[in-house]
Amino acid sequence: MKRKWFIVILILAIVAVVLTIVFINLFRERDTRSLANNINSVVVEGYLNDESDEYRTINEYLDTIYPLIGSQEERAEIQNMQNTYKAYVVYGEFVNKQFVFSTYTNVYREKSRNVSRNFSRAQNSANSLENYIEENRDVTSGSDFWTANSWANCKQYMQDLFTYTVNAFDNLGDIYTSCVTSPTMNNDLTALVFETAKALADDTVQNVTTAGHGASLLNFVNNYLTPEQEDVILEYIYNTTAQGNVKIITEQTEGWEEIYNRFLAGAIA
Amino acid sequence: MKLKKIMAGLGIGCFSVLALVGLGGCGDVSLSTITQNFAELETVFQDNPSVFSHGTIDGMESDYVISYGTKIDSFVDADVEGFGELEEIYNATLVIASDYVDSNKHYVTNLHESDLSSGTRRQLNILNSSITTYRDSIEDFLVERTNFITYFDNFETPILPGESKPSIVRDAYLRRFKRSYGAMVANSVQLCSDMAEVIESTEILNLLETTSPTTVADTEVVKEYIRAKMLPIFSEFQITEIENKMNWAGQTQTATKTRIDTLLQNLQTAFESYKKDFVTSTASLQVLTNQQITEVFNMTSKFILDTEDYMDALIGLNIERLAVSFDCDMERYLNSNNMAEIYLEKLEQFVTKILPNFENQVVEMIY
């Protein structure tokens, strides 16, 4: 009889604990802190910081190796991946400054893990590439022979860094548009900028061995997302001409191509 | 028998929970209570005419000019460190907040009780609580003011502006006085904000967007509403986060402190601009169309969202902790608060760009 009661009480206790955990998870306030911290660590301390060891080492290496590669397509690939990397450093800094001021949405729930996963993989690729460059440069004293032939071993790391970073930002733009609370820093213009950056990045991925695509992405991002260009976005909500142009582009009404080309070149108003 | 007792206990427990939930919606404050509380607040001011007198602060005429008596009046001068802001910032803020509350309390207390929406009732509860909190902080202020004046009357000799004769005791009395003053000002701003929320909830502002013809008086309502919504931007930073929490001037001078000093100067410049545009301006207001009124309110709604980010950044940065625990060393502080730099940049962006952009747009539309 005592044993029977003990089992009943034990079962009730287990059910109570399970229900408590379920209710806590159902009703706890959800926030975007996790991704905000992740972005911050990658942008401030990780490979997307232009003062980090990874960034400097990788870019110095790519600058060195570019003229030594014989194949035009290989050179184009190096340049496209390097310019894309630089573009996402700017993009990442912009997002990092705003993302801590955001709210939880369904888009966040659906896509944030993907972003974090891709950032993590990109960071690992950057670390591996940096280590490989450092170790082997030390061993061979940085000879031109080593440099020219090292690309075969470095290429995969760089491609992984490129692919994972593009994947991360493809989703990050959507999350930003859905979650960031400031109407000044999150509006139709920023949404258009992120969509266009995504299109240019996809274009670079599809045509990675053709020169110029990565540079287009980098120039575009520099036109809108650098601190020096901040006023373009800050003043957008009061600029009816810019708002009209954004509407023409997004709805692709008559004459949109010409306005779009000016937009790509940094002139939205 | 045991089982019956258990069942009875469970039943009473469930009933109690349901009763509490059911009664949770009851207890809304009545308009007569709010009227009574406003009257008691007014009594406090009337009972202390030597403290709250009629005068002019920064070109603003008001019944809430704080006076200190002859001896301290000689100290309350912009050239004497620590005193200048009492008039420029503290009293000026109190005057602006009080003016808005006085202008609108008649409207609020004469609403029809039976027509109140649940949203308005909720806001009225909050307003009522703010009135009593504000009144309590005035009582505290009166005590500290008396102590402050007594100290100077009995112990301190006059100090001329420009003379450096540090007095630890004087500074301690001044800081204590400023804290109670700051708390009173913060509560007056809170009351002002809560009054604006009540106004918003009554949908009178929606009427301005839909009913014609519009008049200059309607533009005045719009201007006053925006003025009330903007006021916390200045008081929360300068008074609540800085003056009320620490001796900022005495903190270690680092690059980060210099940056925040610059930010505070920019905030003060913005406050002067705000007073010029929204408080003391003698320019004629335009008659806005319904569409223009809608446009101004839309701009204001967006600006309020940006203001919430600004407030979050203030809290997130936690300047007191940065200064007191980390000696204004941002690099060390980042190990403990990894977003500190982002919060500081957001404050800079808001004060130097977002705030003036909004103000310029509104001024262009309403004058």
Side-chain angles (χ1 to χ4, degrees), chain A residues 42-263:
Chain A
V42 165
V43 167
V44 174
E45 296 157 21
Y47 81 106
L48 287 180
N49 177 352
D50 62 5
E51 291 179 4
S52 66
D53 291 337
E54 305 96 299
Y55 182 87
R56 281 199 199 141
T57 303
I58 292 170
N59 277 287
E60 275 169 20
Y61 170 74
L62 293 175
D63 287 339
T64 308
I65 199 159
Y66 178 77
L68 301 176
I69 299 294
S71 156
Q72 194 177 354
E73 284 176 349
E74 289 257 44
R75 283 208 307 277
E77 187 175 7
I78 291 169
Q79 199 173 55
N80 282 330
M81 290 196 289
Q82 186 178 19
N83 282 332
T84 304
Y85 184 14
K86 289 179 180 175
Y88 282 130
V89 165
V90 173
Y91 192 152
E93 190 185 344
F94 177 88
V95 170
N96 188 43
K97 285 182 183 178
Q98 305 304 326
F99 199 76
V100 72
F101 308 101
S102 57
T103 53
Y104 186 92
T105 64
N106 284 336
V107 175
Y108 179 90
R109 183 171 49 81
E110 286 158 19
K111 297 191 174 193
S112 61
R113 277 199 196 143
N114 179 293
V115 172
S116 295
R117 198 164 45 236
N118 278 293
F119 272 147
S120 173
R121 289 172 180 169
Q123 180 66 61
N124 287 340
S125 301
N127 290 342
S128 300
L129 179 54
E130 185 210 354
N131 290 337
Y132 183 85
I133 293 167
E134 291 289 338
E135 283 162 14
N136 285 277
R137 192 159 55 197
D138 288 342
V139 165
T140 64
S141 304
S143 70
D144 280 355
F145 173 80
W146 173 79
T147 308
N149 287 281
S150 65
W151 177 240
N153 293 325
C154 291
K155 186 173 171 176
Q156 188 57 55
Y157 291 129
M158 191 62 209
Q159 284 174 336
D160 287 345
L161 188 159
F162 168 72
T163 304
Y164 292 136
T165 306
V166 169
N167 288 346
F169 278 95
D170 276 359
N171 288 302
L172 188 54
D174 293 339
I175 295 175
Y176 181 104
T177 301
S178 150
C179 297
V180 167
T181 48
S182 164
T184 306
M185 301 308 294
N186 181 18
N187 45 51
D188 292 338
L189 174 59
T190 55
L192 181 61
V193 167
F194 295 146
E195 273 171 38
T196 307
K198 182 171 186 284
L200 291 171
D202 289 347
D203 188 50
T204 307
V205 169
Q206 301 296 326
N207 301 286
V208 74
T209 54
T210 308
H213 295 277
S216 297
L217 172 63
L218 178 59
N219 288 339
F220 175 74
V221 163
N222 282 337
N223 284 334
Y224 291 100
L225 301 182
T226 58
E228 294 78 19
Q229 297 297 105
E230 190 181 58
D231 285 348
V232 176
I233 289 175
L234 279 171
E235 290 165 9
Y236 172 76
I237 56 171
Y238 304 117
N239 188 332
T240 49
T241 307
Q243 289 167 28
N245 285 339
V246 166
K247 194 161 186 274
I248 290 171
I249 293 170
T250 46
E251 291 175 5
Q252 295 190 351
T253 47
E254 194 181 330
W256 75 274
E257 290 100 339
E258 191 195 335
I259 295 173
Y260 180 69
N261 287 335
R262 288 207 311 267
F263 161 68

Side-chain angles (χ1 to χ4, degrees), chain B residues 67-350:
Chain B
S67 60
Y68 308 95
T70 320
K71 194 171 236 176
I72 295 181
D73 276 345
S74 67
F75 294 151
V76 182
D77 184 289
D79 291 337
V80 180
E81 194 180 320
F83 284 89
E85 54 267 31
L86 291 180
E87 193 174 292
E88 272 174 29
I89 300 171
Y90 285 59
N91 209 165
T93 307
L94 183 78
V95 156
I96 296 168
S98 303
D99 184 61
Y100 186 77
V101 171
D102 283 353
S103 302
N104 290 281
K105 65 184 179 192
H106 182 75
Y107 167 74
V108 167
T109 52
N110 283 280
L111 292 168
H112 292 288
E113 195 113 33
S114 53
D115 293 341
L116 296 177
S117 67
S118 60
T120 305
R121 288 189 192 279
R122 192 168 48 247
Q123 294 302 328
L124 284 170
N125 288 340
I126 295 169
L127 180 73
N128 187 57
S129 174
S130 290
I131 299 170
T132 53
T133 304
Y134 179 39
R135 195 182 64 227
D136 292 342
S137 65
I138 295 173
E139 305 283 359
D140 292 340
F141 168 75
L142 292 172
V143 168
E144 292 299 334
R145 179 183 167 279
T146 303
N147 292 341
F148 188 55
I149 291 173
T150 305
Y151 166 74
F152 275 91
D153 280 346
N154 292 338
F155 299 109
E156 189 62 70
T157 53
I159 295 177
L160 295 173
E163 265 186 42
S164 61
K165 190 182 171 189
S167 164
I168 295 171
V169 178
R170 185 194 80 170
D171 286 350
Y173 268 91
L174 175 62
R175 270 201 304 281
R176 195 178 155 130
F177 170 65
K178 281 172 90 172
R179 285 205 181 169
S180 74
Y181 196 164
M184 179 179 72
V185 172
N187 286 324
S188 79
V189 172
Q190 186 61 53
L191 179 59
C192 172
S193 293
D194 292 339
M195 178 67 86
E197 294 286 335
V198 170
I199 302 288
E200 208 174 332
S201 73
T202 63
E203 308 205 343
I204 187 174
L205 301 178
N206 287 348
L207 282 175
L208 299 181
E209 297 180 63
T210 53
T211 53
S212 296
T214 53
T215 65
V216 166
D218 297 336
T219 311
E220 184 73 39
V221 169
V222 171
K223 181 184 117 176
E224 284 191 0
Y225 170 74
I226 293 173
R227 186 173 82 196
K229 296 300 273 188
M230 287 176 75
L231 190 57
I233 292 167
F234 309 103
S235 60
E236 278 299 304
F237 196 157
Q238 179 73 54
I239 299 178
T240 305
E241 283 300 309
I242 299 286
E243 296 283 351
N244 270 16
K245 287 191 174 177
M246 69 196 112
N247 176 16
W248 177 246
Q251 301 304 320
T252 314
Q253 196 64 40
T254 61
T256 302
K257 184 172 184 296
T258 302
R259 217 169 133 189
I260 296 175
D261 284 337
T262 304
L263 183 52
L264 287 167
Q265 282 162 20
N266 289 333
L267 187 70
Q268 183 55 24
T269 304
F271 187 46
E272 296 303 320
S273 176
Y274 160 86
K275 283 188 284 185
K276 180 177 72 64
D277 288 334
F278 290 99
V279 183
T280 60
S281 175
T282 55
S284 304
L285 290 170
Q286 289 199 70
V287 177
L288 299 176
T289 63
N290 293 125
Q291 193 182 347
Q292 285 173 319
I293 291 176
T294 301
E295 200 181 322
V296 172
F297 281 142
N298 283 343
M299 263 172 19
T300 307
S301 301
K302 289 178 182 172
F303 177 71
I304 289 167
L305 287 172
D306 276 311
T307 306
E308 286 171 12
D309 285 351
Y310 164 82
M311 296 297 181
D312 286 344
L314 261 181
I315 293 168
L317 180 58
N318 195 343
I319 297 173
E320 184 190 11
R321 189 155 170 258
L322 166 62
V324 174
S325 304
F326 291 86
D327 294 325
C328 292
D329 184 338
M330 181 59 90
E331 262 195 61
R332 273 176 46 221
Y333 189 44
L334 283 169
N335 293 330
S336 173
N337 182 353
N338 64 334
M339 299 291 187
E341 179 65 36
I342 290 175
Y343 292 132
L344 182 52
E345 284 182 13
K346 172 56 83 173
L347 295 176
E348 288 168 332
Q349 185 191 59
F350 184 88

Side-chain angles (χ1 to χ4, degrees), chain B residues 53-70:
Chain B
S53 55
H54 185 85
T56 310
I57 288 280
D58 254 350
M60 300 176 284
E61 209 174 308
S62 169
D63 292 331
Y64 301 99
V65 177
I66 309 284
S67 60
Y68 308 95
T70 320

